[in-house]
């Protein structure tokens, strides 16, 4: 069976840049998957995907012209149903054979085999392998149907290229963008398939303006990338194009003695790590999807614009113009910036001048907004927040600010002095005022940043201005926490207000839908709580936040507590802790979350001991005994908490267990109180022998009520000692 490499390309109008990478990967991936499923390609066939603004393509190695024939065994029915007493076929069997294209002549050749306890009839046949033309058509149809298209458009295919299945002027095609060409080459041969009203051929098209040949014939499947690069002025591979662009960007920045703005904070990383981070950058990926062959040019704007906060200029250049800002050695924004052009003229001056002309009005707008905003203080904008709806059931932003201020003040009173309280209340009051500025109205991403800038302009203390910016932190996984106790109090209050309020009105996340980012808010609360080792427990935080809503909400405590600890459990598992370890520690709902990592390390060390499994199982057994005794005699359920009476310990095994507890618990108690959880749990391992002996020879439910109560008290003492760090039964 002859095998050649396969190339399939769909030539289209400019694709959505933010979706291009996924579109290219999906197109190639489904094609390969379907060809492999039909036996036309091996499972280890090498797949290369291509994606540029005007094309999706896939190259697959070792594709057969026809799939090999395959033996097929059709299970028909039990022998007792298919054959009568004389061995003749029943009507049911004949009907089943007819459905498979066979008749009574096939009956003597039917195979008998056990199917469970009964014998069944099987029809063995050979299924002819599918041809590449048929198999590729199915794969192509499936690949197009399964593309993650953000939005479909309808159009009519071109009359000179439409396949026979389409009638020009009447037939419509539905796709992400109009398609203008289809290439399908198996080695040097065209595969007769069609898609979107287009028959397959060997001609593609290169760069709109710089291709040396148009149309561009492809001699065979393997010449695709090289032909497009050399004659079409196109780098078809998304990955290669991105790598080339990053190389040029870094080279141009270095030549100017600057660095790319996105590299800020990457000091100390290796060149390879920096390159990988750049390739993953959202702007790099978007611009890669906008050009077919990148050319990096250096542009500049007037230095007077540098009077505007650099965050504003950076955002307008990146978000609106897709430019790459540069920073000098001190981290200050440069008046020079980099542009990635899709053309490479001999004299780039016109392209440079055009980009400089385009960015100037954007920067002028930013300067205008900045100048206008500084004419009014943040405090003067507070009344306007009463007119901004926060949530139709939770009131305005003005009302929300008062709630956040109250929660932040209550937290500050527990964490600091009067000075902290004053600064926290001022920062909380002004934290949302920049929402009403022109700059944030134009660039919502700058909220908080502009609040800090305008607060400093208004003469506020730097720590208060800093807290206004930091109260949104952490905004995403890995983001920095607020820098000061002031920012910490306001950030914690802001996220608590959101969580308590929305849970209180029943607006909970469901599935992958979380429109208010409550999962992110919960993780932010947890990070601040743990990493700053706040001396507040969860019940106390809820008690601070719940009253500020009055009658607006129902009590969300139970649902919100479960939600927050689920987020914590997920975060800990992502950090490498086992599910049983996490469940054991969090089952106790520890109040000081900063201790949780130490508790987990202690549980991990304990679980590695040879005695751990037996102790965990015994702990589970003890818990069940205590629960049953409490259920059987609820009026005396507290009896187990009474001190053990040594004179009632009659059996040697219970005396030995009591003696072991007396010898062990003072030391493990001191270790627990000192926070040495590892030593505490490892010390309890010494109880393994006495505990086993107790259960082997002592009947807990003795007939004498006093003896029974005393043995329960002994078990209660043991259970309480073993479950201070974690609920060890969950390790069983």
């Amino acid at each position: 069976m002859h095998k050649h490499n396969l190339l399939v390309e769909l030539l289209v109008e400019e694709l959505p840049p933010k979706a291009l990478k996924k579109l290219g990967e999906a197109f190639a991936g489904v094609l390969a998957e379907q060809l492999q499923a039909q036996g036309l390609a091996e499972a280890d066939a090498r797949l290369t995907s291509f994606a540029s603004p005007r094309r999706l393509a896939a190259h697959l190695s070792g594709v057969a012209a026809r799939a090999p024939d395959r033996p097929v065994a059709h299970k028909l029915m039990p022998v007792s149903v298919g054959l009568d007493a004389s061995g003749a076929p029943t009507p049911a069997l004949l009907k089943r054979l007819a459905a498979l294209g066979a008749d009574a002549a096939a009956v003597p050749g039917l195979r008998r085999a056990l199917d469970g306890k009964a014998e069944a009839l099987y029809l063995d046949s050979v299924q002819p392998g599918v041809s590449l033309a048929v198999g590729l058509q199915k794969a192509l149809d499936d690949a197009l149907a399964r593309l993650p298209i953000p939005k479909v458009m309808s159009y009519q295919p071109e009359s000179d290229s439409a396949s026979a299945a389409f009638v020009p002027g009447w037939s419509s095609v539905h796709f992400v963008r109009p398609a203008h060409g289809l290439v399908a080459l198996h080695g040097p041969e065209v595969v007769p398939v069609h898609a979107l009203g287009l028959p397959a051929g060997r001609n593609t098209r290169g760069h709109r303006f710089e291709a040396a040949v148009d149309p561009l014939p492809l001699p065979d499947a393997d010449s695709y990338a090289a032909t497009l690069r050399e004659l079409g002025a196109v780098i078809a591979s998304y990955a290669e194009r991105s790598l080339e662009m990053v190389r040029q960007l870094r080279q141009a920045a270095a030549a100017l003695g600057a660095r790319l703005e996105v590299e800020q904070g990457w000091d100390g990383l290796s060149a390879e790590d920096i390159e990988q981070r750049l390739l993953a950058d959202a702007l790099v990926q978007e611009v890669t999807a906008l050009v077919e062959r990148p050319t990096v040019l250096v542009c500049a704007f007037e230095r007077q614009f540098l009077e505007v906060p650099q965050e504003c200029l950076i955002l307008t250049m990146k978000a609106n113009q897709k430019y790459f800002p540069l920073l000098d050695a001190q981290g200050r924004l440069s008046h020079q910036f980099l542009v990635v052009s899709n053309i490479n003229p001999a004299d780039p001056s016109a392209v440079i001048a055009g980009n400089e002309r385009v960015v100037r009005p954007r920067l002028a707008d930013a300067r205008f907004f900045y100048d206008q905003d500084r004419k009014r203080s943040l405090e003067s904008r507070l009344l306007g927040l009463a007119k901004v709806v926060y949530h139709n059931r939770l009131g305005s932003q003005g009302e929300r600010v008062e709630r956040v201020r109250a929660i932040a003040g209550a937290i500050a009173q527990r964490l600091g002095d009067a000075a902290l309280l004053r600064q926290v209340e001022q920062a909380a009051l002004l934290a949302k005022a920049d929402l009403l500025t022109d700059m944030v109205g134009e660039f919502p991403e700058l909220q908080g940043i502009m609040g800090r800038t305008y607060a400093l302009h208004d003469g506020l203390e730097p720590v208060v201005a800093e807290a206004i910016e930091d109260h949104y932190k952490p905004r995403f996984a890995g983001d920095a926490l607020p820098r000061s106790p002031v920012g910490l109090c306001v950030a914690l209050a802001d996220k608590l207000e959101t969580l308590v309020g929305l849970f209180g009105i029943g607006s909970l996340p469901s599935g992958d839908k979380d429109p208010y980012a409550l999962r992110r808010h919960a993780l932010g609360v947890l990070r601040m709580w743990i990493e700053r080792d706040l001396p507040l427990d969860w019940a106390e935080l809820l008690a601070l936040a719940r009253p500020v809503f009055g009658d607006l909400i129902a009590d969300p405590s139970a649902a919100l507590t479960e939600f927050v600890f689920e987020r914590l459990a997920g975060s800990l598992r992502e950090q490498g802790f086992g599910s049983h370890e996490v469940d054991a520690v969090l089952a106790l709902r520890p109040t000081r979350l900063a201790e949780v990592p130490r508790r987990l390390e202690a549980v991990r060390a304990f679980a590695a001991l040879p005695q751990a499994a037996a102790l965990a199982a015994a702990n589970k057994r003890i818990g069940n005994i205590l629960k049953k005794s409490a259920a059987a005699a609820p009026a005396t359920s507290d009896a187990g908490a009474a001190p053990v009476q040594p004179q009632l310990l009659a059996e040697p095994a219970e005396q030995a267990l009591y003696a072991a507890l007396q010898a062990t618990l003072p030391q493990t108690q001191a270790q627990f109180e000192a926070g040495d959880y590892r030593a505490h749990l490892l010390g309890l391992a010494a109880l393994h022998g006495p505990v086993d002996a107790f259960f082997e020879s002592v009947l807990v439910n003795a007939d004498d009520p006093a003896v029974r109560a005393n043995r329960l008290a002994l078990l209660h003492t043991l259970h309480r000692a073993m479950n201070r760090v974690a609920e060890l039964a969950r390790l069983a």
Side-chain angles (χ1 to χ4, degrees), residues 457-698:
H457 178 265
D458 293 345
L460 273 64
E461 295 173 82
V463 70
V464 173
E466 194 177 77
I468 291 173
E469 177 181 4
D470 285 0
H471 89 279
Y472 289 105
K473 296 178 180 178
R475 296 158 296 179
F476 50 85
D479 190 21
L481 296 183
R483 290 163 281 188
S484 70
V486 181
L488 188 74
C489 290
V490 183
L492 193 57
D494 184 67
K495 290 168 177 58
L496 277 173
E497 193 277 342
T498 300
L499 289 165
V500 171
L502 290 168
F503 265 77
I505 61 172
S507 184
L508 281 58
S510 60
D512 60 350
K513 295 181 179 179
D514 188 7
Y516 297 102
L518 298 183
R519 295 184 179 95
R520 177 168 55 81
H521 284 305
L523 289 171
V525 168
L526 289 166
R527 277 195 60 201
M528 288 185 280
W529 193 5
I530 293 173
E531 294 178 32
R532 292 291 187 263
D533 193 10
L534 298 182
L536 300 166
D537 63 40
W538 176 243
E540 187 177 4
L541 285 175
L542 284 179
L544 296 179
R546 169 65 185 87
V548 303
F549 288 91
D551 297 331
L552 281 177
I553 65 171
D555 185 8
S557 300
L560 183 53
T561 298
E562 187 66 23
F563 178 78
V564 168
F565 276 89
E566 282 177 3
R567 304 282 78 70
L568 177 57
S571 174
L572 293 169
R573 286 193 291 267
E574 288 176 0
Q575 294 172 40
F577 293 106
S579 294
H580 291 311
E581 297 166 349
V582 172
D583 291 345
V585 171
L586 297 189
L588 299 182
R589 291 290 189 261
T591 57
R592 293 293 295 274
L593 290 194
E595 298 175 345
V596 166
R598 295 206 310 276
R599 291 186 181 222
L600 283 165
E601 294 293 352
V603 168
R604 177 170 288 178
F606 172 80
L609 296 174
Q611 309 98 311
L615 279 171
N619 190 59
K620 186 174 184 178
R621 183 176 179 182
I622 293 167
N624 290 334
I625 291 171
L626 295 175
K627 285 178 185 176
K628 287 180 180 178
S629 68
T636 59
S637 61
D638 291 336
V644 178
Q645 299 181 51
Q647 68 274 16
L648 294 179
L649 300 172
E651 298 288 340
E654 62 181 332
Q655 293 171 349
L657 177 58
Y658 179 72
L661 288 172
Q662 293 296 102
T664 303
L665 295 193
Q667 183 178 3
T668 58
Q669 170 74 10
Q671 291 163 339
F672 177 83
E673 291 175 354
D676 191 351
Y677 301 130
R678 181 188 178 97
H680 169 82
L681 286 180
L682 296 182
L684 292 174
L687 299 173
H688 170 239
V691 169
D692 277 358
F694 177 88
F695 280 116
E696 286 174 5
S697 58
V698 176

Side-chain angles (χ1 to χ4, degrees), residues 242-532:
S242 185
L243 196 62
E244 170 62 16
M245 189 175 79
V246 163
R247 184 192 66 77
Q248 290 187 38
L249 286 169
R250 298 199 72 204
Q251 187 178 58
L256 296 170
R259 63 175 175 173
L260 297 169
E261 173 271 334
V262 71
E263 295 182 42
Q264 190 171 24
W266 294 359
D267 297 328
L269 293 180
S270 67
E272 292 78 11
D273 286 340
I274 291 174
E275 182 179 273
Q276 290 306 309
R277 289 198 180 195
L278 281 172
L279 291 172
D281 178 68
L283 181 58
V284 168
Q285 293 198 356
E286 186 174 359
V287 176
T288 299
L290 287 169
V291 298
E292 292 208 299
R293 186 181 63 178
T295 299
V296 172
L297 303 173
V298 179
C299 301
F301 57 79
E302 290 81 355
R303 293 178 184 272
Q304 63 192 37
F305 287 119
L306 293 175
E307 299 170 2
V308 180
Q310 68 181 45
E311 295 91 345
C312 307
L313 304 180
I314 289 169
L315 185 60
T316 191
M317 283 193 286
K318 293 174 69 172
N320 293 322
Q321 304 304 131
K322 314 304 176 192
Y323 295 160
F324 290 86
L326 296 172
L327 302 180
D328 63 18
Q330 286 72 44
R332 297 186 301 253
L333 182 67
S334 168
H335 73 293
Q336 294 176 300
F337 59 95
L338 302 180
V339 171
V340 180
S341 172
N342 193 37
I343 58 175
N344 185 22
D347 180 6
S349 58
V351 178
I352 292 172
N355 281 284
E356 292 176 345
R357 186 171 59 252
V358 168
V359 78
R360 194 171 293 116
R362 291 287 188 179
L363 302 181
D365 286 345
R367 184 172 62 181
F368 175 77
F369 294 146
Y370 180 58
D371 290 341
Q372 290 297 110
D373 285 342
R374 288 183 298 165
K375 293 178 181 178
R376 291 182 58 193
S377 68
L378 288 177
E379 189 173 359
S380 72
R381 301 177 186 274
L382 292 178
L383 291 177
L385 290 174
K387 300 175 184 178
V388 179
V389 175
Y390 166 56
H391 191 285
N392 60 355
R393 293 178 59 186
L394 296 175
S396 67
Q397 281 286 4
E399 292 169 306
R400 181 171 184 243
V401 163
E402 289 302 325
R403 292 194 293 265
V404 172
R405 185 184 185 189
I407 298 169
I411 294 172
Q413 286 182 316
R414 283 158 176 76
L415 299 182
D417 54 17
L420 177 65
L421 174 61
R422 176 185 59 78
Q423 292 168 333
V424 164
E425 289 194 329
Q426 186 177 29
L429 180 66
L430 300 175
K432 306 296 181 184
D434 67 348
L435 296 178
L436 298 181
T437 62
D438 291 339
M439 188 71 83
V440 173
E442 180 72 13
F443 303 112
E445 301 90 338
L446 291 174
Q447 55 188 287
I449 295 172
M450 297 315 302
R452 170 184 56 79
T453 299
Y454 296 144
L456 291 173
H457 178 265
D458 293 345
L460 273 64
E461 295 173 82
V463 70
V464 173
E466 194 177 77
I468 291 173
E469 177 181 4
D470 285 0
H471 89 279
Y472 289 105
K473 296 178 180 178
R475 296 158 296 179
F476 50 85
D479 190 21
L481 296 183
R483 290 163 281 188
S484 70
V486 181
L488 188 74
C489 290
V490 183
L492 193 57
D494 184 67
K495 290 168 177 58
L496 277 173
E497 193 277 342
T498 300
L499 289 165
V500 171
L502 290 168
F503 265 77
I505 61 172
S507 184
L508 281 58
S510 60
D512 60 350
K513 295 181 179 179
D514 188 7
Y516 297 102
L518 298 183
R519 295 184 179 95
R520 177 168 55 81
H521 284 305
L523 289 171
V525 168
L526 289 166
R527 277 195 60 201
M528 288 185 280
W529 193 5
I530 293 173
E531 294 178 32
R532 292 291 187 263

